[in-house]
Amino acid sequence: RDWFFVLVLFATAIQLGNLLSKDVSLLGFVKFAALFIPIWWAWTGITFFVTRFVVDDVWHRLLLFAQMASIAALALSIDGVFGDLYQQFVFAYVIARFILVLLYVRAALAVPAARPLAAGYACLLYTSDAADERSSVDLGGRRIIKKKNKLEL
């Protein structure tokens, strides 16, 4: 199961490399970097989660499979992301992050000792993704984080 996930990420990296090989210029590198960053965040997010929490139930496997499918959709949209496939890329990335939030919420509910960490990650992932959307900024989530920080001080 983990190797299949790595294979999907490797295929995504190959697609990204193919994009750069088609345009070896400063603009090509900027495009490469612009796509590499969200793909890297999707990979590190799930990697950090599976390193912290060892879960092996049906729901976890289904969520990981959905995560793999969303990253595969990222890979499939790389070739035309600067054309008509940008919406597919954005949608796949948002789905990948949403699944990660669901995984952290499940961990927060299931592991009382890890509840502050898991709930914090779920809140940060949700609010940072909502704030990244230029058309709909979730100011409510930002206020929640600011109030939480003030209360902890």
Side-chain angles (χ1 to χ4, degrees):
R1 161 185 96 212
D2 295 332
W3 287 108
F4 184 66
F5 196 85
V6 171
L7 183 62
V8 169
L9 286 165
F10 186 68
T12 306
I14 289 172
Q15 291 289 11
L16 203 53
N18 288 341
L19 180 74
L20 181 60
S21 70
K22 291 177 185 175
D23 184 11
V24 185
S25 66
L26 182 60
L27 180 62
F29 181 76
V30 168
K31 289 179 179 181
F32 171 84
L35 296 177
F36 178 78
I37 291 169
I39 292 169
W40 178 261
W41 277 114
W43 176 72
T44 57
I46 194 65
T47 301
F48 287 163
F49 178 83
V50 298
T51 302
R52 287 186 179 114
F53 301 102
V54 178
V55 183
D56 196 21
D57 64 354
V58 173
W59 286 107
H60 180 75
R61 288 180 186 220
L62 288 173
L63 287 171
L64 281 183
F65 181 75
Q67 181 87 353
M68 283 186 259
S70 67
I71 291 178
L74 283 174
L76 291 173
S77 63
I78 285 175
D79 198 33
V81 73
F82 294 105
D84 56 347
L85 290 180
Y86 73 94
Q87 291 175 335
Q88 177 180 323
F89 186 88
V90 170
F91 183 71
Y93 179 73
V94 168
I95 292 298
R97 298 297 280 189
F98 179 72
I99 292 168
L100 188 58
V101 168
L102 288 178
L103 287 168
Y104 273 109
V105 167
R106 284 191 75 225
L109 295 173
V111 183
R115 194 163 288 150
L117 172 76
Y121 267 88
C123 182
L124 285 174
L125 288 169
Y126 169 74
T127 56
S128 67
D129 286 344
D132 286 342
E133 297 294 324
R134 297 196 188 276
S135 62
S136 60
V137 176
D138 185 359
L139 295 176
R142 291 257 183 218
R143 283 192 211 114
I144 290 170
I145 290 175
K146 287 181 181 176
K147 285 182 182 177
K148 183 177 178 184
N149 288 341
K150 287 180 184 177
L151 292 175
E152 290 180 354
L153 296 175

